[in-house]
Amino acid sequence: MDARTGSNFCNIMHYEAAPLKIVRAEKQYMTDNCGIRYLDCVSNSAHVGHCHPHVVTAGKNQMATLVSSQGFISEPLTKYTKQLISNFPDSLSVCYLVNSGSEANDLALRLARAYTKRKDVIVFDDAYHGNLGNLIDISPKMFKQMAQGKKEFVHVIPYPDLYRGNHREDDPRAVEKYILDAEVIIQEAVKNNRSIACFISESIFVNCGVIVPPKNYYKLLYNLIRDIGGVCIADEVQTALGRTGEYFLAFEHYDVVPDIVTLGKPLGNGHPMAAVITTREIADALGEYYSTFGGNPVACVIGLAVLDIIQNEKLIISATSVGKTLLENLQVLKEKHSAVGDVRGLGLCLGIDIVEDKSCRKPATELAQKIMYRRRQQRNQAVREAKVQQTTFPPSLYTIF
């Protein structure tokens, strides 16, 4: 943060050419310093809605009672971890509470490496898993822009993009070919005496433009990883807590069970908290671990409030139905407009691919920017751009009007 200008060079600014100054928010709306209210299609951290009264009250009351209890028994900690883990398969029974998605993914790497006694990592091209040094090393989206480049312990495989990838939706063998592509890279690593510790990926590739993997893809890929002794990490930092509809966790759409799962953004509804969930066997390999602020009483009661709201307000059902309606209407736009090349997503995790021409599928970056600013000016909608996609990632309390 530059103290003189108030600008933060570390963060990506929405509407960089004319930034919004947001002064307050409630539910699915944000208000700027001019009093203009915007429909929020951006803030996936405000999972149950901005400033939800149940969350605010829980945090406020706990802050006036007990803020830190590191090293002591805490009822909010015990209650929260128990309730959070109840949403996971039985094998995933150990919970670590931390402060951010980056910290969660860093701990997941430590767990995988401690358990396998190996270092190498398999990731998808264009993936991003956080801003710590270890995570920059395994995030192609970041290290491709840096002088360091790809390190020898990182092995990059293509993600299964059926719209713009090498194998597309009109190829009945597309999934098989993507698996073969991955297998070639993995076997080459093994041939070069590289030992794979883990494979880490988002369940839905949000950072690659909201790419939804084919149904049986993960089963096949997880088998490849486990056959060579690696473990599978699901990065659910952006997609958990019912975001994708139908299920609490996005990986459940694929009928697989990862070995380690990381959670982040939505857990605290804007309050900094994250979690790592894993098996007892993997946890035992790590040894001692502690965090000064992870799992503090304030974070835990806020986390409990978020879980209560998801259940009581039936937000997973809502994300399913509202997401379905949004996707259907976006499909209508796709049929009407030549610039809309593709619409895709699950629940309230959606993307619109803006192209110059539907046949060549060439990204229309400038047009995507214009649409983003036009939506802000004419519709009072705050959206974000990822590459050439307009992404819709709103609070989960969106309704159908």
Side-chain angles (χ1 to χ4, degrees), residues 7 9 22 108 126 132 162 169 180 252 256 270 309 327 391:
S7 60
F9 299 114
I22 300 300
D126 274 349
L132 299 179
L162 298 182
E169 73 279 359
L180 287 173
E252 294 180 271
V256 294
I309 294 164
L327 198 59
T391 60

Side-chain angles (χ1 to χ4, degrees), residues 27 46 57 90 114 132 141 175 205 265 280 302 306 373:
K27 299 181 179 178
T57 300
D90 291 342
L132 299 179
K141 184 175 182 178
V175 175
F205 312 140
K265 296 180 187 296
R280 169 54 61 188
I302 287 174
V306 170
Y373 279 89

Side-chain angles (χ1 to χ4, degrees), residues 4 6 185 191 195 199 237 247 260 266 307 333 360 367 374:
R4 290 167 298 181
I185 294 167
K191 181 181 175 182
S195 298
F199 160 65
V237 167
Y247 303 105
I260 304 170
L307 294 179
L333 286 181
C360 71
L367 178 59
R374 187 70 61 85

Side-chain angles (χ1 to χ4, degrees), residues 87-370:
N87 295 285
F88 284 76
D90 291 342
S91 61
L92 297 170
S93 59
V94 179
C95 176
Y96 298 90
L97 296 180
V98 292
N99 307 290
S100 70
S102 291
E103 191 178 343
N105 282 337
D106 183 69
L107 177 56
L109 275 186
R110 285 181 57 194
L111 285 161
R113 286 168 168 167
Y115 177 70
T116 62
K117 297 180 173 58
R118 301 171 177 180
K119 185 176 183 179
D120 288 32
V121 182
I122 295 172
V123 295
F124 284 121
D125 196 14
D126 274 349
Y128 171 77
H129 294 291
N131 59 17
L132 299 179
N134 280 339
L135 304 176
I136 297 296
D137 288 345
I138 65 163
S139 296
K141 184 175 182 178
M142 303 301 293
F143 69 62
K144 284 195 285 188
Q145 305 174 42
M146 303 171 70
Q148 70 172 46
K150 183 178 78 68
K151 295 192 175 179
E152 62 180 357
F153 60 83
V154 179
H155 310 280
V156 180
I157 62 175
Y159 55 87
D161 181 357
L162 298 182
Y163 179 68
R164 194 176 275 115
N166 290 332
H167 317 298
R168 300 186 176 181
E169 73 279 359
D170 58 351
D171 185 348
R173 296 184 59 234
V175 175
E176 179 187 345
K177 289 178 180 178
Y178 277 116
I179 291 296
L180 287 173
D181 290 343
E183 188 171 15
V184 167
I185 294 167
I186 292 168
Q187 291 305 323
E188 183 66 20
V190 173
K191 181 181 175 182
N192 291 330
N193 297 315
R194 306 301 308 188
S195 298
I196 305 301
C198 63
F199 160 65
I200 181 170
S201 76
E202 294 184 289
S203 300
I204 308 296
F205 312 140
V206 176
N207 289 310
C208 299
V210 191
I211 306 296
V212 181
K215 196 71 174 177
N216 59 337
Y217 178 78
Y218 276 124
K219 275 192 174 182
L220 298 170
L221 187 58
Y222 274 28
N223 287 339
L224 274 182
I225 302 301
R226 287 166 173 161
D227 283 348
I228 57 171
V231 299
C232 299
I233 303 172
D235 178 348
E236 293 264 354
V237 167
Q238 300 199 77
T239 55
L241 275 65
R243 159 69 56 189
T244 60
E246 292 190 57
Y247 303 105
F248 188 81
L249 301 154
F251 69 74
E252 294 180 271
H253 290 280
Y254 296 94
D255 194 25
V256 294
V257 178
D259 303 293
I260 304 170
V261 181
T262 60
L263 308 174
K265 296 180 187 296
L267 281 184
N269 208 52
H271 187 83
M273 61 186 299
V276 181
I277 318 294
T278 189
T279 66
R280 169 54 61 188
E281 186 178 9
I282 292 175
D284 286 345
L286 182 65
E288 185 177 359
Y289 174 83
Y290 70 92
S291 170
T292 301
F293 300 111
N296 69 76
V298 175
C300 288
V301 298
I302 287 174
L304 280 166
V306 170
L307 294 179
D308 287 345
I309 294 164
I310 291 170
Q311 181 177 7
N312 295 339
E313 298 186 11
K314 297 179 172 56
L315 293 187
I316 297 178
I317 295 172
S318 176
T320 305
S321 60
V322 176
K324 181 174 180 289
T325 300
L326 276 172
L327 198 59
E328 288 172 352
N329 281 276
L330 290 173
Q331 290 286 358
V332 173
L333 286 181
K334 177 184 172 183
E335 298 303 317
K336 288 174 61 177
H337 300 284
S338 60
V340 181
D342 192 32
V343 297
R344 52 184 176 260
L346 290 172
L348 290 175
C349 178
L350 302 171
I352 310 169
D353 214 308
I354 307 300
V355 297
E356 291 183 5
D357 181 82
K358 286 187 177 182
S359 59
C360 71
R361 305 184 181 187
K362 184 178 180 181
T365 307
E366 290 186 12
L367 178 59
Q369 283 278 345
K370 288 179 180 178

